[in-house]
Amino acid sequence: MNSYLSFQIHGGADHGGGIIETVSELLTFFEGLTAQGPGGFSQAILPGIAGMSNIHPLLVHFPIALLTLFFIVDMSGTLGGKAQWRQTASFLLYSGTLAATFTVLAGFAAADTVAHGENVHEIMERHEHLGISILSLAAGLSAWRLKHHGVLTGAGNVLFLLLSALLCLILAFGADLGGLMVYQYGVAVKPGAAIANFGEAGQSHHHTEELPDNVF
């Protein structure tokens, strides 16, 4: 199924056929899609998502990006006296809190369905606690912001920004533990053919491309 996605993903250096081969493989890809059912269609278009056992890894990027950007924009708006920037920061905060809600719920579902050993269980528990802390703090900041109609000044704003910085710090710790579980312990990672081939052949894939003689 995933062979339909092979068209020139690494560029001409891997295939050598240039644009003609690229177009040919692209047409073959679309032709193959027409013969697939709904399940096969999703597998061909989004094979990564189709192969996921849960959607937590897909959702987790949104609160990290939105809440981190919220703090940057809000701090910049405060220091620069930009009221419109702070309004944008409010939108980012509310969106990030909503994204964190779905991410935490998906994380609970993932913890109950993903197989893991005792060496990972403690890390997963800490990851969950940090996720709950992130959601709670983001929800509290959102409620505080809404109560004051997005306008905070003086000592209250200083405390708000300090809590926002703490939120970003907890986000970093939570993301670090998530990465540790995946990349160090392989939680929810299926053994791939590329890894198996690497072990059998004892070599990895390298990109090489000959440069024209007149480049330099």
Side-chain angles (χ1 to χ4, degrees), residues 39-64:
F41 183 83
S42 62
Q43 174 69 22
I45 292 294
L46 300 171
I49 295 178
M52 294 170 62
S53 58
N54 62 82
I55 62 172
H56 179 69
L58 177 66
L59 299 177
V60 72
H61 300 86
F62 292 96
I64 293 175

Side-chain angles (χ1 to χ4, degrees), residues 9 12 18 59 65 73 96 108 129-131 133-134 149-150 155 159 165 171 196 200-201 210-212 215:
I9 58 174
L59 299 177
V73 174
F108 285 140
H129 294 160
L130 289 176
S133 299
I134 291 167
H149 305 286
L159 178 58
L171 274 169
E200 294 173 3
E210 295 183 2
L211 299 176
V215 168

Side-chain angles (χ1 to χ4, degrees), residues 22-85:
T22 300
V23 173
S24 176
E25 292 179 351
L26 183 60
L27 292 175
T28 302
F29 165 72
F30 286 116
E31 181 181 0
L33 287 181
T34 60
Q36 307 303 317
F41 183 83
S42 62
Q43 174 69 22
I45 292 294
L46 300 171
I49 295 178
M52 294 170 62
S53 58
N54 62 82
I55 62 172
H56 179 69
L58 177 66
L59 299 177
V60 72
H61 300 86
F62 292 96
I64 293 175
L66 289 169
L67 294 175
T68 301
L69 188 58
F70 144 70
F71 173 67
I72 295 174
V73 174
D74 201 39
M75 176 65 77
S76 300
T78 298
L79 296 177
K82 305 289 187 179
Q84 188 173 3
W85 288 23

Side-chain angles (χ1 to χ4, degrees), residues 58-179:
L58 177 66
L59 299 177
V60 72
H61 300 86
F62 292 96
I64 293 175
L66 289 169
L67 294 175
T68 301
L69 188 58
F70 144 70
F71 173 67
I72 295 174
V73 174
D74 201 39
M75 176 65 77
S76 300
T78 298
L79 296 177
K82 305 289 187 179
Q84 188 173 3
W85 288 23
R86 303 207 67 193
Q87 292 176 1
T88 302
S90 296
F91 172 77
L92 293 169
L93 173 60
Y94 306 147
S95 301
T97 302
L98 182 61
T101 301
F102 289 111
T103 302
V104 169
L105 292 175
F108 285 140
D112 293 334
T113 58
V114 174
H116 59 277
E118 289 297 328
N119 58 338
V120 177
H121 185 72
E122 183 178 352
I123 299 175
M124 186 174 291
E125 287 290 320
R126 289 165 55 197
H127 183 69
E128 287 184 1
H129 294 160
L130 289 176
I132 295 172
S133 299
I134 291 167
L135 177 57
S136 301
L137 184 53
L141 291 174
S142 296
W144 190 0
R145 194 94 164 193
L146 284 169
K147 182 179 179 180
H148 291 83
H149 305 286
V151 179
L152 291 168
T153 58
N157 187 55
V158 173
L159 178 58
F160 185 91
L161 290 173
L162 289 175
L163 292 175
S164 300
L166 177 62
L167 175 63
C168 291
L169 185 62
I170 300 175
L171 274 169
F173 286 136
D176 179 72
L177 291 180

